[in-house]
Amino acid sequence: MDALNDLSPTIALKRTSTSRQLYDVLRGRIISLDLPPGMHLSRSEIALAYGVSQTPVRDALQMLEAEGLVVVYPQSRTEVTRIDLRQARETQFLRLSLELEVIRSLTETQPEAVIKQADRLVALQETALNVDHDLERFALLDRQFHQTMFEGAGVADLWVLVQSRSGHIDRLRKLNLMDPGKAGTILCSHREIMDNVRDGDVPRAQEAVRRHLTGTLATVETIREAHSHFF
């Protein structure tokens, strides 16, 4: 795509921390594929659309470039990067390593408040999927479910670390979520994880997490064939 056709903001930007807010908005649109891989971004069009000067736009694009989500060609153009499978696999390795320990800790300690919150999020996911048919909300609740796990294990900063490296794997998951039955599989996996946590069964809880987190990369070739223009 050669031009940024629609940058109408979905939220109003506050005057404070404009660069960070703009980064968050643009990153969210890249992750959701609203700004797809290969799309050219115009600094002036972004500034006009969000009612800001070009300085915070430049800063936001630099943050996105540091994360590998855009590439800035000086005096030329800025482009949303294609999905990098090597980086996606590295991030998956990091997250799986951490989350296996997170679930071990939660299964051994069984904190009541964390289990209650996780169960609530699973119930909300079921409503989002089966009643509202809202995959965007379903995906948001998915992230909140796993964030609750990290926070409950006392390692919230590690969730922030994982998220800062997740741009490529998250776009891959977005494509995978469009496949029929994928959202239902995720929901079942979350239920299985929580059942094993409540049972205090560490090996089964960890195995459920392992299957859950490796599902997308296990089908990556099928995803790439269906969406080759994103890679």
Side-chain angles (χ1 to χ4, degrees):
M1 192 173 296
D2 294 329
L4 194 59
N5 295 322
D6 180 13
L7 265 173
S8 302
T10 55
I11 62 171
L13 297 179
K14 299 177 182 178
R15 293 188 180 275
T16 57
S17 305
T18 304
S19 298
R20 180 69 196 194
Q21 291 180 72
L22 189 56
Y23 158 81
D24 288 338
V25 171
L26 293 176
R27 185 184 189 278
R29 296 186 68 179
I30 290 171
I31 298 303
S32 70
L33 302 176
D34 184 35
L35 302 179
M39 186 174 197
H40 292 190
L41 305 180
S42 164
R43 188 182 298 181
S44 60
E45 288 180 18
I46 294 172
L48 180 63
Y50 287 96
V52 299
S53 70
Q54 290 200 28
T55 298
V57 176
R58 179 201 62 204
D59 294 343
L61 291 177
Q62 286 177 343
M63 287 188 277
L64 290 168
E65 185 174 40
E67 195 177 341
L69 293 179
V70 305
V71 57
V72 178
Y73 299 97
Q75 309 303 320
S76 179
R77 69 187 190 281
T78 298
E79 185 176 299
V80 179
T81 58
R82 309 284 172 169
I83 297 173
D84 185 332
L85 292 180
R86 180 194 59 79
Q87 187 170 342
R89 290 188 177 99
E90 285 186 357
T91 303
Q92 180 73 357
F93 185 91
L94 172 65
R95 179 172 173 183
L96 180 59
S97 300
L98 293 173
E99 199 150 340
L100 287 173
E101 285 304 299
V102 163
I103 207 66
R104 178 193 60 77
S105 174
L106 293 178
T107 305
E108 289 176 347
T109 58
Q110 296 183 312
E112 183 178 350
V114 177
I115 293 174
K116 183 176 180 180
Q117 172 66 358
D119 285 342
R120 185 183 75 86
L121 290 169
V122 172
L124 289 172
Q125 273 195 295
E126 183 171 11
T127 298
L129 177 61
N130 296 324
V131 178
D132 300 330
H133 308 292
D134 187 344
L135 284 181
E136 290 298 327
R137 177 159 173 74
F138 182 90
L140 173 62
L141 291 165
D142 184 13
R143 291 191 292 273
Q144 291 176 349
F145 174 86
H146 290 280
Q147 181 177 358
T148 295
M149 300 288 103
F150 277 76
E151 291 174 349
V155 290
D157 285 348
L158 293 181
W159 174 255
V160 176
L161 170 64
V162 169
Q163 289 303 289
S164 72
R165 297 178 57 87
S166 292
H168 292 278
I169 188 70
D170 282 349
R171 288 189 289 174
L172 199 58
R173 290 194 180 102
K174 169 70 175 181
L175 292 173
N176 194 196
L177 188 60
M178 299 175 188
D179 293 341
K182 178 60 180 179
T185 298
I186 292 172
L187 186 60
C188 289
S189 294
H190 285 180
R191 289 179 182 141
E192 182 183 9
I193 290 167
M194 295 314 302
D195 286 344
N196 286 308
V197 169
R198 277 187 292 272
D199 290 343
D201 193 328
V202 172
R204 287 182 179 274
Q206 288 184 319
E207 180 56 31
V209 166
R210 187 184 301 278
R211 286 197 305 271
H212 177 49
L213 292 184
T214 57
T216 294
L217 282 178
T219 60
V220 69
E221 291 306 321
T222 300
I223 297 171
R224 182 158 57 175
E225 287 177 9
H227 306 278
S228 59
H229 54 296
F230 285 169
F231 295 84

